[in-house]
Amino acid sequence: MVKIKLCGFTREEDIEKAVEFGVDYVGIILYEKSPRYVSWERLKDLLSVATGVKRVAVMVNPTAEETLRAFDVGSWRRVPEEGNRWLSYRELAPMLAQ
């Protein structure tokens, strides 16, 4: 089965429309150098309308603290660590305890 992920949302109405169209994942850019960057303050508003879909935090080489913050702010399906590696919260927790 094909899954559809759209990224780069900055407006609630765009997320609502994507959900209406049936996407499986919505991605929010948390990388400050991106033109589609969403601040941590704005993030909560966007996530409030991302219901019924899986959420993906799009980050570039985040620190463990940034990754944990992403989990704290949103119910993410996955977040990246160092390029192409993806972490679940279960994998991240032991790293933060060190």
Side-chain angles (χ1 to χ4, degrees):
M1 172 185 277
V2 174
K3 299 285 184 181
I4 298 172
K5 179 182 78 160
L6 297 179
C7 290
F9 292 100
T10 60
R11 303 182 322 159
E12 288 93 332
E13 57 267 30
D14 295 335
I15 293 175
E16 289 169 340
K17 189 57 78 172
V19 170
E20 181 183 322
F21 286 148
V23 300
D24 300 292
Y25 299 87
V26 294
I28 308 291
I29 309 294
L30 300 175
Y31 179 59
E32 290 185 24
K33 294 182 181 180
S34 170
R36 308 296 294 167
Y37 168 70
V38 171
S39 69
W40 293 103
E41 295 76 28
R42 178 87 176 98
L43 180 61
K44 289 182 182 181
D45 294 331
L46 292 177
L47 293 178
S48 71
V49 299
T51 58
V53 294
K54 294 177 177 79
R55 304 161 177 186
V56 177
V58 180
M59 306 166 80
V60 177
N61 295 324
T63 64
E65 291 78 19
E66 290 169 325
T67 304
L68 182 60
R69 185 174 185 189
F71 274 113
D72 285 342
V73 172
S75 300
W76 304 102
R77 178 67 175 179
R78 302 186 295 176
V79 295
E81 177 212 29
E82 298 182 16
N84 294 330
R85 179 160 154 62
W86 292 83
L87 292 175
S88 69
Y89 186 80
R90 190 176 313 172
E91 293 173 297
L92 177 65
M95 293 169 51
L96 296 173
Q98 297 176 3

